[in-house]
Amino acid sequence: MTNNGETKLKQALIVAQLYYEENLSQAAIAKKMKLSRPTISRLLQLARESGLVKIEIENPFINYSDLTNVLAQRYHAQIKIVPSHYAGQQTSLDSVGAYAASFLTNLVKPNDIIGIGWGKTIHAVTTNLTEQTIPGVKTVQLKGGFSFNHEKTYAYESINELAQAFQTRAQYLPLPTIFDSKTTKELVEQDRFIKQILDLGQKANIALFTVGSTNNNSLLFNLGYLTKAQKNEIQAKAVGDVVSRFIDSDGQIIDQELNERTIGIEVQALGQKESSIVVASGLRKTAAVHAVLKARYANIAIIDATLAQSLIDYE
């Protein structure tokens, strides 16, 4: 980030604190900071867009049972809607993570193989896991998670926490998510060790993953894999990514050449799992969750109430 960008972000943080925590009006903040009223408005918008401020609306009129039934019938999937502040959590992400951790614990049986994605949402799940005594469980990464920059994918943290919870050894896929060429990726896949990990991911009967959006702040957009031109093309065609493969509103791959350079499990393989669990929270994930459920890549969805309501209104 440039110095100018850092300065604006710091200003946005100060403005957000004055507006949301100290309840000052925009006019009062403008006077206090000697800035124009429109500038204060833009800084508040920046604070929201950059994630410094997260706004949650609590709807007391939601009927969770009706909402669950409608979505289950629409998508032919098991839908779990997580209420705000589940298990005392403070955010929707943490609530969904805590619920998904409990759900997974109750789901896993002896000799299961759990394949896992990565990202902040998956990390919110694995941080809430506690140690279990379930014999023969195996854990494996479903996709590469190496980052070329300083963005954290939480790939290693998540697989380590998962393996520790089920008292087993983590099976890593220590690779980039996207290779520069299809040829390089195919050569790497022929390595005996890598092939063993990929095969284990295919054999996994439980898959735990999330979806990514296509906004400029999305994690996959900021790992150093994609050029600006590629990002623009993806944003024009895709609604998000699942296991780092970009899909349209029907769940179809939008760029086959890019897909062929992406290592890890294919989207079609997710739909063949005994339990294919997508975990997500927030309105920005609506289109991608819809696509995943519509294409039946997931047969279980663990989502927050805001996202659930958004899915009802989608299309």
Side-chain angles (χ1 to χ4, degrees):
M1 183 180 291
T2 64
N3 289 336
N4 185 47
E6 287 183 0
T7 300
K8 280 192 174 182
L9 207 56
K10 288 176 181 177
Q11 279 187 322
L13 178 60
I14 293 169
V15 169
Q17 288 172 327
L18 292 172
Y19 187 75
Y20 291 106
E21 294 181 356
E22 298 187 24
N23 295 316
L24 294 184
S25 68
Q26 292 188 29
I29 297 170
K31 183 177 180 180
K32 181 181 181 72
M33 297 187 68
K34 297 180 180 179
L35 296 170
S36 70
R37 172 78 176 273
T39 298
I40 297 301
S41 179
R42 286 194 295 272
L43 288 170
L44 284 172
Q45 180 68 21
L46 175 62
R48 291 192 292 269
E49 291 177 349
S50 61
L52 294 175
V53 172
K54 300 184 193 304
I55 298 174
E56 295 182 12
I57 299 174
E58 187 71 43
N59 185 348
F61 303 106
I62 290 178
N63 185 313
Y64 285 87
S65 179
D66 288 349
L67 197 54
T68 298
N69 290 336
V70 170
L71 291 176
Q73 290 177 20
R74 173 183 291 182
Y75 294 116
H76 305 283
Q78 187 177 352
I79 306 294
K80 300 293 183 181
I81 301 175
V82 184
S84 299
H85 309 300
Y86 173 82
Q89 301 295 328
Q90 296 302 306
T91 68
S92 290
L93 177 61
D94 290 333
S95 295
V96 166
Y99 184 98
S102 177
F103 181 87
L104 183 66
T105 298
N106 291 323
L107 177 71
V108 175
K109 58 188 183 299
N111 302 313
D112 276 346
I113 303 173
I114 310 169
I116 188 175
W118 47 252
K120 293 177 183 178
T121 302
I122 294 304
H123 193 227
V125 179
T126 59
T127 54
N128 280 286
L129 290 170
T130 56
E131 286 200 11
Q132 308 297 315
T133 306
I134 305 175
V137 175
K138 295 179 181 178
T139 60
V140 61
Q141 289 181 314
L142 292 176
K143 59 178 182 173
F146 177 79
S147 171
F148 287 112
N149 57 25
H150 299 298
E151 289 285 339
K152 286 184 69 67
T153 65
Y154 299 98
Y156 292 104
E157 293 91 339
S158 296
I159 186 66
N160 285 337
E161 288 163 352
L162 180 69
Q164 182 178 351
F166 290 98
Q167 301 182 50
T168 188
R169 186 163 62 93
Q171 299 290 338
Y172 305 101
L173 192 60
L175 298 171
T177 306
I178 303 171
F179 282 79
D180 288 336
S181 74
K182 176 184 175 183
T183 302
T184 304
K185 189 201 82 164
E186 289 177 342
L187 284 171
V188 170
E189 287 176 329
Q190 292 174 20
D191 177 85
R192 185 174 60 178
F193 169 77
I194 298 300
K195 187 176 185 304
Q196 176 185 336
I197 301 302
L198 292 171
D199 287 348
L200 189 62
Q202 290 289 337
K203 293 175 184 175
N205 61 306
I206 299 173
L208 181 71
F209 59 95
T210 188
V211 294
S213 66
T214 57
N215 65 38
N216 290 327
N217 294 323
S218 70
L219 185 55
L220 190 52
F221 265 30
N222 290 282
L223 297 182
Y225 295 122
L226 303 168
T227 65
K228 185 176 181 180
Q230 287 173 324
K231 291 178 185 178
N232 289 338
E233 184 177 356
I234 289 167
Q235 288 175 325
K237 297 179 180 179
V239 297
D241 79 272
V242 53
V243 288
S244 298
R245 299 178 188 274
F246 291 100
I247 56 174
D248 64 17
S249 58
D250 294 319
Q252 300 304 304
I253 298 296
I254 60 108
D255 186 330
Q256 195 56 42
E257 188 274 336
L258 180 62
N259 188 57
E260 288 174 351
R261 294 192 283 113
T262 304
I263 198 160
I265 196 165
E266 298 275 357
V267 289
Q268 291 80 6
L270 291 174
Q272 298 169 6
K273 303 294 184 189
E274 178 185 338
S275 298
S276 183
I277 310 166
V278 61
V279 184
S281 71
L283 291 175
R284 70 189 185 284
K285 301 290 186 77
T286 302
V289 171
H290 164 77
V292 164
L293 291 172
K294 182 178 180 180
R296 302 198 183 179
Y297 299 145
N299 52 33
I300 301 168
I302 299 175
I303 55 179
D304 64 16
T306 302
L307 177 50
Q309 185 64 60
S310 182
L311 285 171
I312 288 286
D313 300 329
Y314 196 76
E315 292 186 313

